[in-house]
Amino acid sequence: MSNRLSTEERLGRQSPQRLIRYFVMFMAVLYCGLGVFMWVAPATMLPLQPTVRHILGVVFIFYGIIRFVRAYRQMFSK
């Protein structure tokens, strides 16, 4: 099979897959930001016990890191 360019590549358009990858990266950063917010938010802002807030914050941060690493590997593996 020859190395033919796709229609999007010939016309200079961005493929929807590329936009989805950037959206996934953005969501990963958003999850990390939500985790940091839950960790440092004052108790009056979130009606949760401090230990629950800290645990949820750590879970969101780790989940965001995992999503970011997976998206980065998928995006730049070529």
Side-chain angles (χ1 to χ4, degrees):
M1 188 172 233
S2 65
N3 288 334
R4 298 173 86 184
L5 296 176
S6 67
T7 303
E8 287 91 10
E9 291 171 337
R10 283 187 283 128
L11 295 176
R13 296 181 187 163
Q14 291 184 353
S15 68
Q17 193 70 8
R18 186 174 179 190
L19 295 176
I20 290 171
R21 288 180 183 164
Y22 284 118
F23 178 73
V24 170
M25 298 274 283
F26 172 74
M27 287 303 296
V29 172
L30 192 69
Y31 278 121
C32 288
L34 180 63
V36 170
F37 172 75
M38 290 191 83
W39 185 268
V40 299
T44 57
M45 188 170 277
L46 295 172
L48 298 171
Q49 294 177 356
T51 55
V52 174
R53 281 189 300 117
H54 291 160
I55 291 171
L56 282 175
V58 168
V59 168
F60 276 122
I61 290 170
F62 282 138
Y63 182 66
I65 290 170
I66 290 169
R67 282 187 63 125
F68 185 82
V69 168
R70 287 180 61 201
Y72 184 82
R73 283 184 183 169
Q74 184 182 27
M75 192 177 222
F76 297 108
S77 66
K78 298 176 183 179

